């Protein structure tokens, strides 16, 4: 199984600032995803982090707001840009090697004031 | 978009089997059925997955109907620690296929 570490685990940020969340996997994986989970809701897929190329974003999410990097097979970052209170959520990284299971990090809980 | 339908909530008595249904009537031939659960404030935890055959591991059993349009996750002896939201997901599970979408899940409450 893969172990996924996310940093920070939680943060409180001011409106208009940006925060970068890091995701580190302890083994090489073929797929990495970023999700958002708003309070009391299910997980919503933000994008697929592609190694060495631009991420693939889902409807409603854009690169200017959520830039993603994936420089190698074990690491990815998600930036939440120009934050507003509506961005307060848990952001989750998942990773794995198909067709086996995906593993999830414990999430980064973001509060925007 | 999620391709599965699950009941929003279920209760189960501690020590009894919990049977969680999932409908995935539009599943295609090469899509897998995955089950995850999320205990409050934690990241989702993988439980089991299958393609056509029934599967069993140390956590649960997965029963997939012959037409693959529905499945049931079975927790054989539910404990209080099994209280969680359970997600049934249909996924192509191929590199380049990014359609791993979560539905609303079933909130299972195990009652003492």
């Amino acid at each position: 199984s893969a172990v996924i570490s996310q940093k920070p685990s939680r943060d409180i940020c001011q409106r208009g600032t940006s925060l970068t969340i890091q995701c580190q996997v302890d083994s090489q994986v073929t797929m990495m995803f970023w999700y958002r989970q708003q309070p009391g809701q299910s997980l919503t897929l933000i994008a697929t982090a592609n190694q060495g190329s631009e991420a693939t974003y889902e409807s409603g999410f854009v690169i200017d707001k959520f830039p993603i990097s994936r420089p190698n097979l074990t690491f990815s970052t998600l930036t939440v840009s120009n934050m507003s209170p509506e961005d307060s959520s848990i952001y989750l990284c998942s990773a794995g090697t198909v067709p086996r299971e995906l593993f999830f990090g414990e999430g980064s809980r973001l509060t925007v004031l | 978009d999620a391709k599965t339908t699950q009941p929003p909530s279920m209760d189960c008595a501690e020590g009894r089997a919990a049977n969680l249904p999932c409908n995935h009537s539009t599943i295609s031939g090469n899509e897998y059925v995955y089950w995850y659960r999320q205990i409050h404030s934690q990241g989702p935890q993988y439980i089991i997955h299958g393609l056509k055959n029934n599967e069993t591991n140390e956590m649960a059993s997965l029963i997939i109907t012959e037409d693959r349009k529905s499945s049931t996750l079975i927790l054989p002896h539910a404990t209080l620690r099994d209280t969680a939201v359970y997600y049934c997901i249909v996924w192509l599970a191929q590199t380049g296929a990014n359609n791993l979408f979560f539905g609303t899940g079933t909130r299972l409450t195990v009652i003492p």
Side-chain angles (χ1 to χ4, degrees), chain A residues 50-76:
Chain A
N50 300 308
Q51 193 255 328
S53 65
E54 190 172 290
T56 305
Y57 290 86
E58 297 300 317
S59 176
F61 298 96
V62 295
I63 188 171
D64 290 345
K65 177 67 175 177
F66 298 102
I68 289 171
S69 76
R70 188 180 171 194
N72 56 51
L73 292 175
T74 63
F75 185 78
S76 178

CSV table of all heavy atoms in Angstrom, one decimal, chain A residues 50-76:
chain,number,residue,atom,x,y,z
A,50,ASN,N,-0.9,15.5,-13.8
A,50,ASN,CA,-0.2,14.7,-14.8
A,50,ASN,C,1.3,15.0,-14.6
A,50,ASN,O,1.7,16.2,-14.6
A,50,ASN,CB,-0.7,15.1,-16.2
A,50,ASN,CG,-2.2,14.8,-16.4
A,50,ASN,OD1,-2.6,13.7,-16.1
A,50,ASN,ND2,-2.9,15.8,-16.8
A,51,GLN,N,2.1,13.9,-14.6
A,51,GLN,CA,3.5,14.1,-14.4
A,51,GLN,C,4.1,14.7,-15.6
A,51,GLN,O,4.0,14.2,-16.7
A,51,GLN,CB,4.1,12.7,-14.1
A,51,GLN,CG,5.5,12.8,-13.6
A,51,GLN,CD,6.6,12.5,-14.6
A,51,GLN,OE1,6.3,11.6,-15.5
A,51,GLN,NE2,7.7,13.1,-14.6
A,52,GLY,N,4.8,15.9,-15.4
A,52,GLY,CA,5.5,16.5,-16.5
A,52,GLY,C,4.6,17.3,-17.5
A,52,GLY,O,5.2,17.8,-18.5
A,53,SER,N,3.4,17.4,-17.2
A,53,SER,CA,2.5,18.2,-18.1
A,53,SER,C,1.4,18.9,-17.3
A,53,SER,O,1.2,18.6,-16.1
A,53,SER,CB,1.9,17.3,-19.2
A,53,SER,OG,1.1,16.3,-18.7
A,54,GLU,N,0.6,19.6,-18.0
A,54,GLU,CA,-0.5,20.4,-17.4
A,54,GLU,C,-1.6,19.4,-16.8
A,54,GLU,O,-1.9,18.4,-17.4
A,54,GLU,CB,-1.1,21.4,-18.4
A,54,GLU,CG,-2.1,22.4,-17.7
A,54,GLU,CD,-2.5,23.4,-18.8
A,54,GLU,OE1,-1.7,24.2,-19.2
A,54,GLU,OE2,-3.7,23.4,-19.2
A,55,ALA,N,-2.1,19.8,-15.7
A,55,ALA,CA,-3.2,19.0,-15.1
A,55,ALA,C,-4.4,19.0,-15.9
A,55,ALA,O,-4.7,20.0,-16.7
A,55,ALA,CB,-3.5,19.5,-13.7
A,56,THR,N,-5.3,18.0,-15.7
A,56,THR,CA,-6.6,18.0,-16.4
A,56,THR,C,-7.6,18.3,-15.4
A,56,THR,O,-7.8,17.6,-14.4
A,56,THR,CB,-6.8,16.5,-16.9
A,56,THR,OG1,-5.7,16.1,-17.8
A,56,THR,CG2,-8.1,16.5,-17.7
A,57,TYR,N,-8.3,19.4,-15.6
A,57,TYR,CA,-9.3,20.0,-14.7
A,57,TYR,C,-10.7,19.5,-15.0
A,57,TYR,O,-11.1,19.4,-16.2
A,57,TYR,CB,-9.2,21.5,-14.7
A,57,TYR,CG,-7.9,22.0,-14.1
A,57,TYR,CD1,-6.8,22.1,-14.8
A,57,TYR,CD2,-7.9,22.3,-12.7
A,57,TYR,CE1,-5.6,22.6,-14.3
A,57,TYR,CE2,-6.7,22.8,-12.1
A,57,TYR,CZ,-5.6,22.9,-12.9
A,57,TYR,OH,-4.4,23.3,-12.3
A,58,GLU,N,-11.5,19.4,-14.0
A,58,GLU,CA,-12.9,19.0,-14.1
A,58,GLU,C,-13.7,20.3,-14.3
A,58,GLU,O,-13.2,21.4,-14.0
A,58,GLU,CB,-13.4,18.3,-12.9
A,58,GLU,CG,-12.7,16.9,-12.7
A,58,GLU,CD,-12.9,16.0,-13.9
A,58,GLU,OE1,-14.1,15.9,-14.4
A,58,GLU,OE2,-11.9,15.3,-14.3
A,59,SER,N,-14.9,20.1,-14.8
A,59,SER,CA,-15.8,21.3,-15.0
A,59,SER,C,-16.0,22.1,-13.7
A,59,SER,O,-16.2,21.5,-12.6
A,59,SER,CB,-17.2,20.8,-15.5
A,59,SER,OG,-18.0,21.8,-15.6
A,60,GLY,N,-15.8,23.4,-13.8
A,60,GLY,CA,-16.0,24.2,-12.7
A,60,GLY,C,-14.7,24.6,-12.0
A,60,GLY,O,-14.7,25.4,-11.0
A,61,PHE,N,-13.6,24.0,-12.4
A,61,PHE,CA,-12.3,24.3,-11.8
A,61,PHE,C,-11.3,24.7,-12.9
A,61,PHE,O,-11.3,24.1,-14.0
A,61,PHE,CB,-11.7,23.0,-11.1
A,61,PHE,CG,-12.6,22.5,-10.0
A,61,PHE,CD1,-13.5,21.5,-10.1
A,61,PHE,CD2,-12.4,23.1,-8.7
A,61,PHE,CE1,-14.3,21.1,-9.1
A,61,PHE,CE2,-13.2,22.7,-7.6
A,61,PHE,CZ,-14.2,21.7,-7.8
A,62,VAL,N,-10.6,25.8,-12.6
A,62,VAL,CA,-9.7,26.3,-13.6
A,62,VAL,C,-8.3,26.4,-13.1
A,62,VAL,O,-8.0,26.6,-11.9
A,62,VAL,CB,-10.2,27.7,-14.1
A,62,VAL,CG1,-11.5,27.5,-14.9
A,62,VAL,CG2,-10.3,28.7,-13.0
A,63,ILE,N,-7.3,26.5,-14.0
A,63,ILE,CA,-5.9,26.5,-13.7
A,63,ILE,C,-5.5,27.7,-12.9
A,63,ILE,O,-4.7,27.7,-12.0
A,63,ILE,CB,-5.0,26.2,-14.9
A,63,ILE,CG1,-3.6,26.0,-14.5
A,63,ILE,CG2,-5.2,27.4,-15.9
A,63,ILE,CD1,-2.7,25.6,-15.7
A,64,ASP,N,-6.1,28.9,-13.3
A,64,ASP,CA,-5.7,30.1,-12.6
A,64,ASP,C,-6.1,30.1,-11.1
A,64,ASP,O,-5.4,30.7,-10.3
A,64,ASP,CB,-6.4,31.3,-13.3
A,64,ASP,CG,-5.8,31.5,-14.7
A,64,ASP,OD1,-4.8,31.0,-15.0
A,64,ASP,OD2,-6.5,32.3,-15.5
A,65,LYS,N,-7.1,29.4,-10.8
A,65,LYS,CA,-7.6,29.4,-9.4
A,65,LYS,C,-6.9,28.2,-8.6
A,65,LYS,O,-6.6,28.4,-7.5
A,65,LYS,CB,-9.1,29.2,-9.4
A,65,LYS,CG,-9.7,29.0,-8.0
A,65,LYS,CD,-9.6,30.3,-7.2
A,65,LYS,CE,-10.3,30.1,-5.8
A,65,LYS,NZ,-10.1,31.3,-5.0
A,66,PHE,N,-6.7,27.1,-9.3
A,66,PHE,CA,-6.1,25.9,-8.7
A,66,PHE,C,-4.9,25.4,-9.5
A,66,PHE,O,-5.0,24.3,-10.0
A,66,PHE,CB,-7.2,24.8,-8.5
A,66,PHE,CG,-8.3,25.2,-7.7
A,66,PHE,CD1,-9.6,25.6,-8.3
A,66,PHE,CD2,-8.3,25.2,-6.3
A,66,PHE,CE1,-10.6,25.9,-7.5
A,66,PHE,CE2,-9.4,25.5,-5.5
A,66,PHE,CZ,-10.5,25.9,-6.1
A,67,PRO,N,-3.8,26.1,-9.6
A,67,PRO,CA,-2.7,25.6,-10.3
A,67,PRO,C,-2.1,24.4,-9.6
A,67,PRO,O,-2.0,24.3,-8.4
A,67,PRO,CB,-1.7,26.8,-10.3
A,67,PRO,CG,-2.1,27.7,-9.2
A,67,PRO,CD,-3.6,27.5,-9.1
A,68,ILE,N,-1.7,23.4,-10.4
A,68,ILE,CA,-1.3,22.1,-9.9
A,68,ILE,C,0.1,21.8,-10.6
A,68,ILE,O,0.2,22.0,-11.8
A,68,ILE,CB,-2.3,21.0,-10.2
A,68,ILE,CG1,-3.5,21.1,-9.3
A,68,ILE,CG2,-1.7,19.6,-10.0
A,68,ILE,CD1,-4.7,20.2,-9.7
A,69,SER,N,1.0,21.3,-9.8
A,69,SER,CA,2.2,20.8,-10.4
A,69,SER,C,2.4,19.3,-10.0
A,69,SER,O,1.9,18.9,-8.9
A,69,SER,CB,3.4,21.6,-9.8
A,69,SER,OG,3.8,21.2,-8.5
A,70,ARG,N,3.1,18.6,-10.8
A,70,ARG,CA,3.5,17.2,-10.5
A,70,ARG,C,4.9,17.0,-11.2
A,70,ARG,O,4.9,16.5,-12.3
A,70,ARG,CB,2.5,16.2,-11.0
A,70,ARG,CG,2.8,14.8,-10.5
A,70,ARG,CD,1.8,13.8,-10.9
A,70,ARG,NE,2.3,12.4,-10.6
A,70,ARG,CZ,1.8,11.3,-11.1
A,70,ARG,NH1,0.8,11.4,-11.9
A,70,ARG,NH2,2.3,10.2,-10.7
A,71,PRO,N,5.9,17.3,-10.6
A,71,PRO,CA,7.3,17.3,-11.2
A,71,PRO,C,7.8,15.8,-11.4
A,71,PRO,O,8.7,15.6,-12.2
A,71,PRO,CB,8.2,18.1,-10.3
A,71,PRO,CG,7.5,18.0,-8.9
A,71,PRO,CD,6.0,18.0,-9.2
A,72,ASN,N,7.3,14.9,-10.5
A,72,ASN,CA,7.8,13.5,-10.6
A,72,ASN,C,6.6,12.6,-10.2
A,72,ASN,O,5.5,13.0,-10.0
A,72,ASN,CB,9.0,13.3,-9.8
A,72,ASN,CG,8.8,13.7,-8.3
A,72,ASN,OD1,7.8,13.3,-7.7
A,72,ASN,ND2,9.7,14.6,-7.8
A,73,LEU,N,7.0,11.3,-10.1
A,73,LEU,CA,5.9,10.3,-9.8
A,73,LEU,C,5.5,10.2,-8.4
A,73,LEU,O,4.7,9.3,-8.1
A,73,LEU,CB,6.4,8.9,-10.4
A,73,LEU,CG,6.6,8.8,-11.9
A,73,LEU,CD1,7.2,7.5,-12.2
A,73,LEU,CD2,5.2,9.0,-12.6
A,74,THR,N,6.1,10.9,-7.5
A,74,THR,CA,5.8,10.8,-6.1
A,74,THR,C,5.3,12.1,-5.4
A,74,THR,O,5.0,12.1,-4.2
A,74,THR,CB,7.0,10.3,-5.3
A,74,THR,OG1,8.1,11.2,-5.4
A,74,THR,CG2,7.5,8.9,-5.8
A,75,PHE,N,5.3,13.2,-6.1
A,75,PHE,CA,5.0,14.5,-5.5
A,75,PHE,C,4.1,15.4,-6.4
A,75,PHE,O,4.2,15.4,-7.6
A,75,PHE,CB,6.4,15.2,-5.3
A,75,PHE,CG,6.3,16.5,-4.5
A,75,PHE,CD1,6.1,16.5,-3.1
A,75,PHE,CD2,6.3,17.7,-5.2
A,75,PHE,CE1,6.0,17.7,-2.5
A,75,PHE,CE2,6.2,18.9,-4.5
A,75,PHE,CZ,6.1,18.9,-3.1
A,76,SER,N,3.2,16.1,-5.7
A,76,SER,CA,2.4,17.0,-6.4
A,76,SER,C,2.0,18.2,-5.4
A,76,SER,O,2.0,18.0,-4.2
A,76,SER,CB,1.1,16.3,-6.9
A,76,SER,OG,0.2,17.3,-7.5
